[in-house]
Amino acid sequence: MSCVYKNPNAPTEDRIKDLVSRMTLQEKVGQMTQIELCVATLDDVRNLSIGSMVSGAGKEPLEKAMASDWAETIDRFQQAAVDSRLGIPLAYGIDAVHGNNRFYGATIFPHNIGLGATGDADLAQRIGAAVALEVRASGIHFNFAPCVAVCRDPRWGRCYESFSEDTNIVRKMTSIITGLQGQPPVGHPKGYPFVAGRYNVIACAKHFVGDGGTEKGINEGNTISSYDELESIHMAPYLDCLYKGVSTVMASYSSWNECKLHAHHFLLTEILKGKLGFKGFLISDWKALDRLSEPRGSNYRRCVYTAINAGIDMVMVPYRYKQFIEDLISLVESGEIQMTRIDDAVERILRVKFVAGLFEYPFSDRSLLDTIGCKLHRELAREAVRKSLVLLKNGKNPGKPFLPLEKNAERVLIAGTHANNLGYQCGGWTRYWQGSSGRITTGTTILDAFREVMGEKTDVIYEKYPSPNTLSGQNFSFAIVGVGEEPYAESAGDNSELVIPLNGSELISTIADRIPTLVILISGRPLVIEPWLLEKIDALVAAWLPGTEARGITDVVFGDYEFEGRLPMTWFRTTEELPINKGDNSCDPLFPLAFGLTYKKE
Ligand SMILES: OC[C@@H]1[C@@H](O)[C@H](O)[C@@H](O)c2nc(CNc3ccccc3)cn21
């Protein structure tokens, strides 16, 4: 009998039905299992029909590996999957949240908060397409992006992964999905997964739902709200994702009114799959099932029972996958989980794999390798940096703007912890889960950019912490002070103080007391700026986490381009007033949502 599922011209739903009918329970459960590269073996991938692999947070996929080494390794595991009894290919997943950010040499775009400041849906789509190419070049098919969280409190350690506190800005920026996966044809059914081809990736809208609305911004915390508020503030962007054919959704670690999302049958199944009609697959977050019990990871069989019956289709286990497979098989054999639930999950997983063309093109396309960090992508990233900058102050006296700067100034001081630190510019999720400091990849720092732009005649002096001698005697035309946050990710970024780290305020004050100063703030969120400090500063630019292309900053501060960025987050005065969002009764911020000065008189 011909295998319908192997026929690329057969209707997808026929291929799914045919293949599911041939699968054993073991193979079905294997498809629902995502395992970390560091524990994977070729034999297990083949013999257990493992559905997916991940190089997740905290794990260096391959020490100092080039993309070609990666493609080599992934193709080896893919071969094992293709050699399995039914030959179902793997979907290999990674967090390429602002470029193929785990790789040395990849283009690093501004993090989502900076893209939110651009408000430019077309730019987001072009970035998505560029990221897709650099991801596929490394042999990876599945990107755990975009995060469509609506961050309501900047104390949240993942604020920078959100486009905005404003649901409508987040909705607009879901256009990045159309870049990542490709543009669905007119009339594409809402909720049905779409991936255009080999130069696109399987995208993942995350984290469903309310991850950005937790109390005090506590990561993995509790979002307290009515259903209407949850729906209008946090769920609305998922409708846009479904209309754009997003292929997967990741459940949130957080809870809604004390009930964990990974255990939430009403939200995961009745709402997302039922009411909203999502036909792709729902993936758990990393070890999220372990978090359903106390102590974490105890009574794992019960956790598997709860999450799969709530509607989770694929589990990012990612280590103890044999335990997961054993428990899930036992739960089905005992009738605690119905085979119909398993078949629903497997059908969804296969639907995404068929739609993504993985059965036809399971292996990497090495011809894409030269897209990684290519000039075209870096120019795109530079455009994104330009459009993301928000001008918060320009001059101490009305009518006497401080910017644009003069390219042929005689002597300039470049100072601060963030003036010459590529790792700081990129922030978390870059090369390493928590990010890092220094020349972690190829790119342009603020200092590099100023040196490239300033004429030969200009004396550019760089001191991270300028000495009193430097400050007193050299008659600088102006100073550029780069300060801000050190990289962080997830709970490591939860912060209730939000002062400029590394004595940034003091550094600014010492310099601005003596030299006309532009402050460039590198941060994943608004930070405390005391009135006395703001007064001393001549100009202030919020640059967010711009990534590798700091020439985008000099493009604007020297006046070659206009400031276009508008605040995607309300800029609070003090943390005591948090959370503070546009529309709140007592909303009296330092700078309101959508604030942003420009050169032209408005
Ligand atoms: O990297 C995979 C996922 C990522 O896609 C999710 O957005 C994110 O929530 C996520 N977190 C982890 C790891 N989380 C973790 C938390 C505490 C200790 C160690 C790891 C992995 N992942």
Side-chain angles (χ1 to χ4, degrees):
M1 186 177 97
S2 75
C3 288
V4 170
Y5 80 92
K6 288 183 179 173
N7 175 1
N9 301 315
T12 299
E13 294 305 309
D14 293 353
R15 299 181 77 181
I16 294 167
K17 210 156 146 238
D18 175 54
L19 180 46
V20 171
S21 71
R22 298 167 186 268
M23 294 171 75
T24 65
L25 172 58
Q26 161 83 63
E27 288 164 337
K28 292 177 181 177
V29 166
Q31 283 300 302
M32 297 170 67
T33 309
Q34 184 181 73
I35 70 176
E36 236 285 344
L37 172 64
C38 65
V39 296
T41 67
L42 297 173
D43 286 350
D44 280 352
V45 165
R46 181 180 53 253
N47 301 335
L48 300 177
S49 185
I50 295 295
S52 181
M53 288 175 65
V54 54
S55 286
K59 280 284 154 214
E60 266 330 288
L62 293 167
E63 276 306 311
K64 302 207 185 328
M66 303 297 288
S68 49
D69 306 322
W70 263 75
E72 189 69 44
T73 299
I74 292 169
D75 283 351
R76 244 195 341 272
F77 280 99
Q78 186 67 294
Q79 188 58 60
V82 169
D83 290 344
S84 63
R85 185 179 76 88
L86 292 167
I88 305 172
L90 280 173
Y92 197 105
I94 203 165
D95 298 274
V97 294
H98 65 144
N100 198 1
N101 33 250
R102 302 302 287 270
F103 287 81
Y104 184 90
T107 311
I108 304 298
F109 295 88
H111 267 295
N112 284 355
I113 191 165
L115 299 186
T118 74
D120 186 335
D122 174 68
L123 173 70
Q125 179 171 341
R126 287 183 285 133
I127 290 173
V131 171
L133 281 173
E134 297 200 26
V135 169
R136 289 308 297 256
S138 52
I140 294 169
H141 327 94
F142 181 8
N143 184 4
F144 307 129
C147 175
V148 293
V150 180
C151 177
R152 305 292 284 173
D153 191 322
R155 290 174 290 188
W156 186 34
R158 307 191 75 167
C159 181
Y160 67 84
E161 296 184 64
S162 166
F163 291 110
S164 174
E165 74 179 46
D166 181 329
T167 301
N168 290 328
I169 293 175
V170 178
R171 294 188 57 192
K172 190 176 183 184
M173 302 309 277
T174 58
S175 58
I176 197 164
I177 291 168
T178 310
L180 288 167
Q181 297 192 150
Q183 174 77 51
V186 172
H188 182 77
K190 173 189 138 191
Y192 199 91
F194 177 82
V195 180
R198 309 174 66 182
Y199 304 143
N200 299 101
V201 291
I202 296 163
C204 180
K206 68 185 186 181
H207 312 79
F208 188 84
V209 63
D211 50 347
T214 59
E215 260 187 310
K216 297 188 182 136
I218 295 167
N219 189 47
E220 302 188 23
N222 184 38
T223 297
I224 302 171
S225 77
S226 66
Y227 179 78
D228 287 352
E229 281 167 342
L230 187 74
E231 187 181 55
S232 61
I233 296 172
H234 300 284
M235 203 181 287
Y238 285 87
L239 274 77
D240 298 280
C241 296
L242 297 187
Y243 275 110
K244 293 176 171 84
V246 74
S247 298
T248 71
V249 171
M250 186 181 292
S252 179
Y253 281 129
S254 60
S255 301
W256 177 51
N257 298 335
E258 301 294 348
C259 179
K260 286 210 176 266
L261 260 296
H262 277 79
H264 217 293
H265 183 269
F266 170 67
L267 290 175
L268 299 184
T269 297
E270 294 177 50
I271 297 299
L272 178 63
K273 295 180 176 178
K275 182 182 173 196
L276 302 186
F278 176 54
K279 297 285 185 298
F281 70 80
L282 186 55
I283 186 168
S284 80
D285 206 331
W286 176 282
K287 290 182 80 172
L289 272 60
D290 301 58
R291 287 165 159 78
L292 296 181
S293 59
E294 275 307 327
R296 280 185 178 182
S298 61
N299 202 351
Y300 192 60
R301 188 176 186 275
R302 182 75 192 163
C303 299
V304 174
Y305 163 83
T306 302
I308 301 301
N309 277 330
I312 297 288
D313 300 311
M314 180 181 282
V315 173
M316 189 186 294
V317 179
Y319 300 130
R320 53 174 175 169
Y321 58 94
K322 289 185 178 170
Q323 171 88 50
F324 170 71
I325 290 167
E326 182 188 320
D327 285 347
L328 185 47
I329 288 173
S330 142
L331 284 159
V332 177
E333 287 172 343
S334 69
E336 293 165 88
I337 293 180
Q338 297 302 307
M339 183 60 88
T340 49
R341 175 69 273 271
I342 300 298
D343 288 347
D344 172 56
V346 175
E347 285 163 10
R348 291 169 177 274
I349 292 165
L350 296 179
R351 182 171 296 124
V352 171
K353 290 184 174 183
F354 281 125
V355 156
L358 293 186
F359 282 78
E360 283 68 52
Y361 305 108
F363 301 107
S364 63
D365 176 350
R366 307 294 166 88
S367 72
L368 297 177
L369 283 170
D370 56 12
T371 68
I372 295 182
C374 68
K375 186 165 172 26
L376 209 59
H377 291 177
R378 291 185 187 276
E379 284 304 310
L380 176 60
R382 179 170 169 175
E383 175 190 350
V385 172
R386 283 199 295 267
K387 293 180 173 179
S388 68
L389 304 178
V390 181
L391 182 56
L392 297 174
K393 180 177 181 182
N394 189 11
K396 291 182 173 175
N397 310 309
K400 243 178 129 299
F402 185 72
L403 300 178
L405 299 173
E406 176 50 54
K407 284 181 185 173
N408 295 320
E410 192 178 333
R411 182 173 298 103
V412 169
L413 173 66
I414 312 281
T417 50
H418 289 57
N420 190 33
N421 194 317
L422 204 57
Y424 284 6
Q425 273 171 221
C426 294
W429 294 100
T430 317
R431 296 296 318 282
Y432 315 96
W433 176 39
Q434 294 292 324
S436 188
S437 173
R439 287 276 173 193
I440 61 170
T441 185
T442 50
T444 306
T445 65
I446 293 170
L447 174 62
D448 296 335
F450 274 85
R451 280 184 168 152
E452 284 173 26
V453 172
M454 306 294 295
E456 281 71 46
K457 296 191 293 294
T458 304
D459 196 5
V460 177
I461 311 288
Y462 168 65
E463 286 187 21
K464 188 155 73 166
Y465 304 108
S467 66
N469 182 39
T470 300
L471 290 174
S472 56
Q474 301 207 31
N475 188 24
F476 289 104
S477 314
F478 54 79
I480 307 296
V481 181
V483 291
E485 294 190 294
E486 295 177 288
Y488 52 80
E490 302 192 53
S491 299
D494 282 3
N495 181 329
S496 56
E497 310 303 321
L498 296 180
V499 296
I500 302 175
L502 305 171
N503 290 323
S505 295
E506 196 179 310
L507 185 61
I508 294 167
S509 175
T510 307
I511 296 168
D513 279 346
R514 295 165 179 79
I515 308 168
T517 294
L518 161 62
V519 172
I520 298 172
L521 189 60
I522 302 292
S523 68
R525 52 198 161 186
L527 298 175
V528 172
I529 299 176
E530 298 89 342
W532 62 265
L533 182 68
L534 188 55
E535 212 173 290
K536 290 186 177 190
I537 293 169
D538 294 90
L540 173 60
V541 170
W544 315 109
L545 297 172
T548 49
E549 308 309 315
R551 280 300 303 271
I553 296 174
T554 45
D555 285 343
V556 182
V557 299
F558 283 103
D560 296 335
Y561 288 83
E562 173 60 283
F563 277 99
E564 296 182 39
R566 298 291 179 273
L567 286 184
M569 294 288 292
T570 299
W571 202 290
F572 59 90
R573 292 179 190 278
T574 69
T575 52
E576 284 71 49
E577 63 187 352
L578 292 176
I580 176 173
N581 299 115
K582 182 182 176 184
D584 292 352
N585 294 336
S586 59
C587 188
D588 172 30
L590 183 60
F591 301 107
L593 183 81
F595 181 85
L597 301 175
T598 61
Y599 286 133
K600 66 181 183 301
K601 289 288 156 277
E602 287 186 353

